[in-house]
Each structure stands twice: as C-alpha cells, then as structure tokens.
Amino acid sequence: MNPPVLVVDCETGEETTRPMTDAELAQWQADVAALPPVLPPTTLADQIAAAVSAGVAAAVPNADAAAVTAAALDSLTPQPTAASAPTTEGGTTT
Amino acid sequence: MTVSGPLTTHGIPKFADTDVPDLGAGGVGSILDTLDGLIGAYKIAATTVGVGGAATIDFTNIPQTFSHLRLVALLLDTGAVTIVRGVVRINGNTTNNYTWGGIEAPAGTPVYTNGTTTGWGQMAYVGASGSYAQGGVWDALFPDYANALTAKALHGVYTALSAANSAYSGISAGTFAVGGAISRLTLLPGSTAFAQGSRATLWGLP
C-alpha cells in the first residue's frame, strides 16, 4: 500500500488521510532522492584546512602540492608556547 | 484536528489600521500597528500527524483573504537516522520554478544556494526517530501570497531541537517564479515520512 498523505482542506476544515496515488508516489520518491543531505558539522579549522588544500592543489605542481600543503597547514597550527624562564626579582623567584 | 474550523462559518478578524494615527517610528501608531498584526492573525488550520505517519502534509484550498501566510511546524521523521531536510511545494508545482539560498551554522557548507532551480523551495530540518527531542522546527513566511501577478517569496528560519543537533540552524529565502495566488502548500520530508506527533499550523496575517 502506498504511503499516506495527510490532506487539510483549509476551506472546510476537513482532514483526510488517503494513500498516495502511483503518480504521487513516483514524484515523492524522486523528491526524496533529490534533496540535499544534511552535512555534518565541521569546525572552522577543518574548513580552513580544506580551503588551503584546495588552493595549493590548484596553484602548485602535483609533485610539490603535498609538501606545500603540509607546510601551509603546519604554519596554521598553533605552536605550543615556550615556558617562560623563571625570573628573579628582589631575591624572590617567580 | 483543525482547531479553527471552516472559514465559511467563522468571521475572519480584520483590524483595519486606517483610524490609527501615525505618530512616527516608535510612537503609539507603530505600537498599535504591531498589535494590529498580532491580534489580526487568524489560525487557518492546524494539524497533527496521527498513527502511521504521513508522507506529505498537504494544505489545500488556502483562503485568499489575508495579506501574508505564516507556517509554523514541528516536524519529525520516521527514519532512525540523523536529521534530514524538509521542503515545501507550492500549488502542486513540481517543475523547476523554485530558487533558494541561505545560511546554515555550522554545517559543512554554511552559505548555500541551490544553484539551479528545483521542483521545491525553502529548506528546513526534520528531526529523526519520531522523537520530540529530535524535532525540527520551521517558521516560514509567504509574503503577499495572494497576489496573482508576481512571483512569490519564501522566507524561513529553521532549527533542530535536540542537544546533539543543536548546532543545526539556518535561515533560508527564495522565490517561486510563477504568478498566481498560493492556494496549496505541501510539506515534504527528506527521508521516509513525517512521524506521528508532527504538527503544522497555518496562519493568515492581516
């Protein structure tokens, strides 16, 4: 049996549920197949990395693209901050 | 269930504002205009999907009495997957007369457009698993829907309710490039069917 359609007649207030016709079913299946998927969330870092990779791939010869991409992404990665050397003020180490 | 009942037996509240003095932006006139819009809203129809679900929700014979239409819906999908798309079709038109674009955050393509026209318009989320906690909420406006001469605009805001999908929200706008009043709105889910408990309300705005 074809899936049900809920029809609300706004003029009479009447509600009916009826099976889809075969033509409606074919259209509905085509609609469902054509709808874009919901994409999973991505982080801003993911989006930047993808943009860098795409940009490098377009601008750099194939043999060098991987290395350039790696270097570019590495430069975008936050580097750990070097620990500050203890300072001595007035005989007190801070 | 239709809450408001047939229009033929109900007076449609209309609050003309011609007697409201225009006191300028922010003045009493503006406030009354705002209240006028709220008070004059009329619930054309409200429906809840029952046992067995519904592949589509179809509002037909929409009266042409109002200035604008507003659709507010809580949409659940029977599929057990994550949230899916929901869209609307106008007057049963299945040809490529719809364009749309929007902003979603923070999905993979935050700014999107359909690029080419499609056989449906607008975008929304439909929650998964038939669970209220997974619901998708959609608030759509169809300005000047009864104008028979021009293309129609579709404006919408949509979001997913669940904590897991709280990142999903968006704004969508587009057009339906066919003249003629809107007399039918069909809601389509992007997966299997609308689950029991999905509900949609159609408002007429003065």
Side-chain angles (χ1 to χ4, degrees), chain B residues 75-84 126-135 165 191-196 198:
Chain B
L75 300 173
L76 311 170
D77 193 271
T78 55
V81 295
T82 184
I83 55 176
V84 295
V126 181
S129 304
S131 161
Y132 179 84
Q134 296 279 346
N165 293 325
S191 179
T192 47
F194 292 120
Q196 180 182 5
S198 296

Side-chain angles (χ1 to χ4, degrees), chain B residues 139-151:
Chain B
D139 186 348
L141 182 68
F142 303 85
D144 198 22
Y145 76 104
N147 186 326
L149 301 176
T150 62

